[in-house]
């Protein structure tokens, strides 16, 4: 069997663990990694073409599927959109769909099992049993240390895709795979996790000992740079304590700590089920600053129930945070499939909000893709 993985700018982190799993368990499987439709068609069927995509990729994926279907390829799909809307993905022309955890089910597929929808939501995997990247093929990415989030925020797909019970990769597993990276001169450690300071806990509190154990052992085996609580992960404000900041400061190279604030209105925070308050945001920023880091604070604009008072409170928070020394990262709400707010409509930002965001950006205090996300929000609402 030949399996072709269709890479694009949004799915590298989804595909590499699957490729690593196949290489680890079935090294004789012929795999190809392509970045365009033409590259796929240079490989003659019979072959399986694997897609992983988000909801705002539906149009171009559909166009490619229509062409490949006529050519006789077998088409499989996973990722956020397939997990949220498997029936729609079958309707696009895919032969098989993978929901949720894909590692075990891709192996079952390669063994010959056939089911229109492979369900990785019901039977969750132990992520220790599967590699996070593939050193042999020089396919590296930040290491996933936690999958799943207990909070279930109303706008977020993470609890759907990864489950509400956090599953942590053990320190032993993380160190083992990082050693394989070091053997290929990969000396920088970054992590994928819904909440960096939740590592090693039930997801509802900080486990400082587990964090210290992880970072200590990574330094011990030769990691030269460690980035924790920064891109591509962030930190929930209520998990920020003086103790955890003092602990990570001994090991990490990042200057920024990314805080998921999302709004300056407690009313909005309750409606989106954030389980923290504005006070938590301010206090966490103070602790981060006091420990020599710069808070980079995520704010989401355009929730459909957000009113003028909520927006005013959010800008009051932004002004306060900027005055303290924080940087703001602005987002626009997107009605993602599978979330509570999927059917709530798209974001709309008043003109004065756009002007204020632009002003903060021009002053060097704010960045983000909020303008592009305005378009994507409307696109998703029309799917």
């Amino acid at each position: 069997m030949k399996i072709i993985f269709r890479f694009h700018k949004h799915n590298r982190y989804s595909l590499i663990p699957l490729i690593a799993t196949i290489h680890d368990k079935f090294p004789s499987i012929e795999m190809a990694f392509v970045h365009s439709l033409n590259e796929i068609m240079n490989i003659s069927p019979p072959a399986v073409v694997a897609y992983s995509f988000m909801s705002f990729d539906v149009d171009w994926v559909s166009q490619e599927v229509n062409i490949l279907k006529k050519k006789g390829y077998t088409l499989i799909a996973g990722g956020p959109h397939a997990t949220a809307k498997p029936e729609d993905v079958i309707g696009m022309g895919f032969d098989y769909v993978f929901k949720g955890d894909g590692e075990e089910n891709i192996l079952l597929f390669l063994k010959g099992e056939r089911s229109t929808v492979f369900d990785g939501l019901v039977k969750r995997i132990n992520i220790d049993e599967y590699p996070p990247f593939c050193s042999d093929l020089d396919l590296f990415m930040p290491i996933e240390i936690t999958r799943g989030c207990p909070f279930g925020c109303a706008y977020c797909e993470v609890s759907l895709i990864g489950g509400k019970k956090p599953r942590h990769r053990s320190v032993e597993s993380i160190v083992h795979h990082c050693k394989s990276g070091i053997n290929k001169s990969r000396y920088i450690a970054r992590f994928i996790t819904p909440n960096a300071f939740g590592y090693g806990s039930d997801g509802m509190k900080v486990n400082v000992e587990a964090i210290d154990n992880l970072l200590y052992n990574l330094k011990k085996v030769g990691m030269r740079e460690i980035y924790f609580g920064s891109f591509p992960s962030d930190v929930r404000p209520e998990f920020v304590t003086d103790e955890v900041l003092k602990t990570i400061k001994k090991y990490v190279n990042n200057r920024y700590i990314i805080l998921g604030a999302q709004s300056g209105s407690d009313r909005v925070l309750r409606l989106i089920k954030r389980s923290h308050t504005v006070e938590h945001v301010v206090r966490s920023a103070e602790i981060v600053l006091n420990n020599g880091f710069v808070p980079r604070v995520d704010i989401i604009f355009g929730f459909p129930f957000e009113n003028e008072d909520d927006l005013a409170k959010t800008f009051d928070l932004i002004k306060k945070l900027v005055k303290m020394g924080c940087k703001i990262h602005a987002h626009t709400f997107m009605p993602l499939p599978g979330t509570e707010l999927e059917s709530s409509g798209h974001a709309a930002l008043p003109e004065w909000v756009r002007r204020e965001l632009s002003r903060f950006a021009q002053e060097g205090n704010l960045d983000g893709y909020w303008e592009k996300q305005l378009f994507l929000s409307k696109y998703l609402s029309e799917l």
Side-chain angles (χ1 to χ4, degrees):
M1 179 186 292
K2 291 182 291 188
I3 182 164
I4 305 166
F5 287 91
R6 171 60 162 103
F7 277 84
H8 59 88
K9 61 183 178 180
H10 297 139
N11 72 356
R12 181 178 176 84
Y13 292 174
S14 296
L15 293 185
I16 287 178
L18 297 180
I19 293 167
T21 294
I22 294 170
H23 180 75
D24 183 54
K25 307 295 184 183
F26 291 127
S28 62
I29 292 286
E30 183 180 349
M31 293 188 285
F33 316 129
V34 305
H35 294 83
S36 71
L37 177 63
N38 286 338
E39 286 182 82
I40 295 172
M41 293 195 294
N42 284 335
I43 304 170
S44 300
V48 175
V49 185
Y51 283 78
S52 176
F53 59 98
M54 298 182 182
S55 299
F56 42 75
D57 297 312
V58 164
D59 281 353
W60 71 262
V61 171
S62 294
Q63 291 171 11
E64 292 193 2
V65 166
N66 287 338
I67 294 169
L68 295 174
K69 195 76 173 174
K70 296 172 184 175
K71 300 288 185 180
Y73 295 91
T74 299
L75 303 171
I76 65 174
H81 192 72
T83 297
K85 292 187 170 291
E87 295 81 8
D88 288 6
V89 173
I90 293 296
M92 289 169 64
F94 283 95
D95 298 292
Y96 306 100
V97 171
F98 295 74
K99 299 195 302 181
D101 296 345
E103 290 90 342
E104 182 176 343
N105 283 325
I106 195 71
L107 295 178
L108 292 175
F109 175 79
L110 293 175
K111 289 176 182 177
E113 185 170 318
R114 293 294 179 265
S115 176
T116 304
V117 177
F118 287 80
D119 195 339
L121 298 177
V122 174
K123 186 180 179 183
R124 295 293 187 174
I125 67 164
N126 176 354
I127 62 174
D128 263 3
E129 296 176 2
Y130 299 91
F133 51 67
C134 191
S135 300
D136 289 348
L137 301 177
D138 289 322
L139 291 173
F140 291 96
M141 57 177 270
I143 188 166
E144 184 184 31
I145 59 173
T146 302
R147 186 178 297 182
C149 174
F151 291 97
C153 298
Y155 60 89
C156 181
E157 292 177 313
V158 170
S159 295
L160 166 68
I161 296 169
K164 286 195 171 184
K165 182 179 180 181
R167 290 164 286 155
H168 306 291
R169 189 178 293 275
S170 68
V171 172
E172 292 76 17
S173 173
I174 295 167
V175 168
H176 168 76
H177 292 292
C178 284
K179 280 182 178 178
S180 73
I182 289 171
N183 291 336
K184 291 288 189 81
S185 299
R186 299 279 176 159
Y187 295 102
I188 298 175
R190 296 183 186 272
F191 309 100
I192 294 174
T193 167
N195 173 26
F197 291 178
Y199 176 74
S201 78
D202 61 2
M204 304 300 289
K205 60 183 180 300
V206 181
N207 184 339
V208 177
E209 184 179 350
I211 293 170
D212 185 85
N213 186 34
L214 168 62
L215 301 180
Y216 169 80
N217 278 285
L218 288 175
K219 277 294 185 185
K220 185 178 177 181
V221 297
M223 273 296 166
R224 296 174 185 172
E225 294 182 32
I226 299 173
Y227 295 85
F228 191 77
S230 65
F231 180 82
S233 62
D234 62 10
V235 174
R236 290 184 62 91
E238 71 272 34
F239 280 67
V240 176
T241 67
D242 199 56
E243 184 182 10
V244 73
L245 265 296
K246 282 180 166 50
T247 296
I248 72 165
K249 193 174 182 178
K250 296 183 293 184
Y251 306 107
V252 303
N253 296 83
N254 44 295
R255 179 175 172 236
Y256 289 96
I257 298 292
I258 302 177
L259 300 176
Q262 317 313 6
S263 178
S265 164
D266 282 323
R267 186 185 81 91
V268 170
L269 290 175
R270 286 192 297 272
L271 289 171
I272 63 176
K273 300 185 176 180
R274 275 299 288 177
S275 302
H276 67 75
T277 65
V278 175
E279 184 180 349
H280 282 122
V281 175
V282 176
R283 179 60 183 147
S284 66
E286 290 173 344
I287 295 171
V288 169
L289 287 161
N290 289 341
N291 281 278
F293 295 93
V294 177
R296 193 174 176 87
V297 185
D298 284 339
I299 301 285
I300 303 174
F301 290 89
F303 290 110
F305 38 73
E306 196 171 45
N307 59 36
E308 291 284 317
D309 182 59
D310 297 319
L311 289 165
K313 288 177 178 176
T314 294
F315 277 106
D316 285 344
L317 175 63
I318 288 174
K319 291 170 187 174
K320 184 171 187 174
L321 293 172
V322 167
K323 189 174 181 180
M324 290 166 60
C326 304
K327 298 292 184 181
I328 308 300
H329 191 64
H331 304 263
T332 300
F333 163 72
M334 292 190 286
L336 296 171
T339 67
E340 279 189 42
L341 297 179
E342 173 184 359
S343 302
S344 61
H346 63 83
L349 299 187
E351 186 57 36
W352 73 268
V353 170
R354 299 189 193 202
R355 287 197 304 269
E356 281 292 279
L357 290 172
S358 296
R359 181 176 68 83
F360 277 104
Q362 289 168 5
E363 293 170 352
N365 295 313
L366 179 147
D367 62 13
Y369 298 102
W370 61 271
E371 290 178 292
K372 180 180 180 181
Q373 289 168 348
L374 266 172
F375 167 79
L376 294 175
S377 182
K378 190 171 188 299
Y379 173 82
L380 291 175
S381 72
E382 295 170 351
L383 277 180

